[in-house]
Each structure stands twice: as structure tokens, then as C-alpha cells.
Amino acid sequence: MKLLKLFIFTVWLLITAFEEKELASKWVIYKTCSLKVNGSTNVNKFNCVINNYYKPDTLSFVQNNQQDPVKMMGAMKLDINSFDCHNPMMTADLRKTLKAKQFPNLIIKFINLSKYPQLKGQHITGWVQIDLAGVSKKFQVAYQLIPSGTNTLQLKGLKQIKFSDFNIEPPRKIGGMITTEDKLDIEFNLHIKTINAL
């Protein structure tokens, strides 16, 4: 019996000795963030923004080792009725196109990053899930990290998506004479501050 207990204890020691420890850190969204959408019609270009988004959420980062992608947990939940296209008619059209009455929120869920964010200028990539108009899609996003103070960063994400990715038909006006292109360039900005770093 003693030999069996000794054997089990030895196996446990070996397992824990070689087990990869998860390293975790937390960052907080600490001030106003924004989302910008740039698009084009066959007549001109337009941009729509959600400014002054602020919800003090915590972003968590977990990494098994430095060679693995960094798991990221957290999300931006944006009210589609807060979009401003600097033109009342265009603003109303966009909200209607994005089915704001039925699906009032655009949600960006963070999945991972290619590297752990450093407190210096850096370009990295990562995956997000975008929930829009009742459809969820995963995209790889290019990030730019910009130092903005002590233990703080601006995390700028850039991605081109399509209305058709979410089964949405681009808006049309005047019998189809003015048509909106399918492609949209999305830029979101998060201001984050470390609570504890890796």
C-alpha cells in the first residue's frame, strides 16, 4: 500500500513539474472608445461613427507559453442607434439596413491575439467574432498598439467586412440609381490600462 501511494505521489510530481502554467493578466477599458465605419456609394464616400462608447469592462489575456497565441476574453457591445453618419437620412438608412429594431446591438467579441500587447508601439493580429443583424462571423483583425500614458495603450483594430457577410443587402436609393458598395472598412479604438501584466 505504501509503495502504491509513493508511486501515485511520484507520478503526480512528474505531471505537475512538466505542466505548462497559464500566465494571465487583466486590462480595463478606462475611457471613451469609438467605432468608425467607412463606405462608398456609386456617387460618394461616407463614414458613420459611434463616439463616446464607455463601459468599464475588463479584458483578460491568458497565455500557456510565449510561442502560443494569447487567448483574449472581453467584448464591445455597441448600440446601433448610436451611429451618426453626419446626415439624418443616411443615419436612418444605415440603422434600418442593420436591422436596429430587431437587433439593436453590434457586438465585437475578442478571441485571441498573435502576441501579448506590450506598452510600446506594436503591430499585431488577432481574431474577433462580430455579431450583427442576427449573424455571427469570425474575422482576423490587424491591430495597431499606441502607447498613451503610464501603463496605458490605445488598441486600434482595422478590418474590411461586407454587408453580405451578414446576409444584409446594401442600401439603395431613388429606384436603385444610388447604390452602396458591399465593402465596409471598420475601425474600432479601445483605450485600455493594465491592472496586472504578465
Side-chain angles (χ1 to χ4, degrees):
M1 189 68 178
K2 287 183 178 178
L3 285 173
L4 179 61
K5 287 182 178 179
L6 181 62
F7 174 74
I8 292 170
F9 180 70
T10 304
V11 170
W12 178 81
L13 280 177
L14 287 170
I15 290 171
T16 53
F18 291 100
E19 187 181 56
E20 289 187 343
K21 302 296 183 183
E22 283 195 340
L23 303 174
S25 70
K26 293 184 183 295
W27 297 63
V28 66
I29 298 174
Y30 79 102
K31 69 176 187 179
T32 301
C33 304
S34 64
L35 175 80
K36 182 188 291 186
V37 174
N38 296 311
S40 301
T41 71
N42 57 335
V43 176
N44 57 19
K45 295 183 178 181
F46 64 89
N47 71 79
C48 303
V49 296
I50 296 177
N51 281 319
N52 303 318
Y53 167 84
Y54 179 63
K55 189 177 179 184
D57 287 333
T58 299
L59 303 176
S60 298
F61 301 87
V62 178
Q63 188 173 30
N64 286 324
N65 58 63
Q66 292 186 349
Q67 286 71 45
D68 290 342
V70 182
K71 296 176 188 174
M72 189 176 179
M73 289 151 283
M76 289 179 77
K77 187 176 182 180
L78 300 143
D79 181 1
I80 288 173
N81 284 307
S82 295
F83 265 120
D84 180 7
C85 300
H86 318 291
N87 176 301
M89 187 177 294
M90 188 175 291
T91 298
D93 283 347
L94 181 70
R95 293 174 183 175
K96 183 179 178 181
T97 299
L98 299 182
K99 306 176 185 178
K101 286 186 178 180
Q102 189 178 358
F103 304 102
N105 295 309
L106 184 160
I107 302 172
I108 300 173
K109 297 177 183 176
F110 302 100
I111 298 171
N112 65 29
L113 292 175
S114 57
K115 297 178 183 178
Y116 181 75
Q118 302 294 322
L119 290 166
K120 60 182 180 180
Q122 189 180 18
H123 291 270
I124 58 178
T125 60
W127 284 86
V128 300
Q129 177 180 304
I130 298 178
D131 298 346
L132 178 63
V135 177
S136 297
K137 290 279 187 180
K138 291 181 180 179
F139 299 94
Q140 189 174 41
V141 173
Y143 291 101
Q144 183 180 3
L145 276 67
I146 305 166
S148 55
T150 304
N151 295 328
T152 62
L153 286 170
Q154 178 186 356
L155 183 68
K156 180 185 288 188
L158 301 169
K159 182 62 187 175
Q160 186 176 88
I161 66 170
K162 298 177 181 179
F163 283 107
S164 56
D165 290 332
F166 299 92
N167 302 325
I168 297 171
E169 186 175 337
R172 296 175 181 271
K173 282 292 180 186
I174 318 173
M177 291 176 64
I178 300 176
T179 58
T180 304
E181 291 185 9
D182 195 24
K183 295 177 183 177
L184 293 171
D185 292 315
I186 290 184
E187 175 187 316
F188 58 86
N189 286 281
L190 289 175
H191 296 274
I192 57 176
K193 185 170 186 174
T194 182
I195 300 174
N196 64 297
L198 292 178

